Amino acid sequence: EKCYLSWSPPLEDGGASISHYIIEKRETSRLSWTQVASDVQALSHKVTRLLTGNEYIFRVMAVNKYGIGEPLESEPILARNPFKPPGPPSVPEVTTITKDSMVVTWERPEDNGGAEIEGYILEKRDKDGIRWTKCSKKK
């Protein structure tokens, strides 16, 4: 897993311009900090190699020619996928029934899980059957 950190420059630069930033992380279940990056020039950074389900705290320190400034700490962050499966679509409506076809329509789910809906799976079963089979090929 990964996450993106961003921050603002410190209000005080300590009398010299900021040359770079140091980023560290710590799992909330541990006491020690580990370095993520030691020469970040930007005000943002992508942190990789996080373990899903672990909770982390990050800290950023500004550096100038006089040394390392006080750290800015994040709130605890849980490493997880920010998306989830979508909710159900509306109840299907069947129209234009012939002996070997019908038109089935439905409305999009109210909750898309945080991502665009890529397609739908339409299944059918006989009235008294128990087995469902897919009947849609298109997205």
Side-chain angles (χ1 to χ4, degrees):
E1 294 292 322
K2 65 186 175 213
C3 75
Y4 296 89
L5 303 177
S6 63
W7 58 93
S8 298
L11 296 175
E12 299 290 330
D13 63 11
S17 58
I18 304 300
S19 59
H20 64 280
Y21 295 90
I22 297 171
I23 302 171
E24 296 179 334
K25 71 179 177 183
R26 178 174 71 82
E27 290 180 44
T28 55
S29 62
R30 298 182 184 266
L31 296 174
S32 61
W33 292 89
T34 57
Q35 199 166 82
V36 172
S38 61
D39 192 25
V40 177
Q41 304 294 321
L43 294 173
S44 62
H45 187 75
K46 178 170 79 171
V47 179
T48 58
R49 292 188 272 182
L50 301 175
L51 299 174
T52 302
N54 284 11
E55 191 174 58
Y56 295 91
I57 296 174
F58 299 94
R59 69 183 181 184
V60 178
M61 293 158 284
V63 181
N64 69 13
K65 68 181 182 180
Y66 299 118
I68 300 170
E70 289 292 313
L72 170 68
E73 281 191 21
S74 74
E75 293 295 318
I77 306 294
L78 182 65
R80 64 172 179 83
N81 188 329
F83 306 108
K84 62 185 192 323
S90 68
V91 175
E93 289 186 36
V94 178
T95 58
T96 320
I97 301 170
T98 69
K99 70 177 185 145
D100 61 357
S101 70
M102 64 182 68
V103 174
V104 183
T105 58
W106 57 88
E107 296 294 322
R108 293 178 163 274
E110 287 183 20
D111 178 8
N112 67 6
E116 283 298 312
I117 302 291
E118 293 180 357
Y120 297 90
I121 298 171
L122 185 61
E123 297 179 323
K124 66 179 178 179
R125 73 174 166 87
D126 290 333
K127 183 175 151 193
D128 298 322
I130 56 169
R131 188 171 166 179
W132 289 88
T133 58
K134 285 185 182 165
C135 56
S136 60
K137 297 268 193 258
K138 295 184 204 171
K139 287 190 173 188

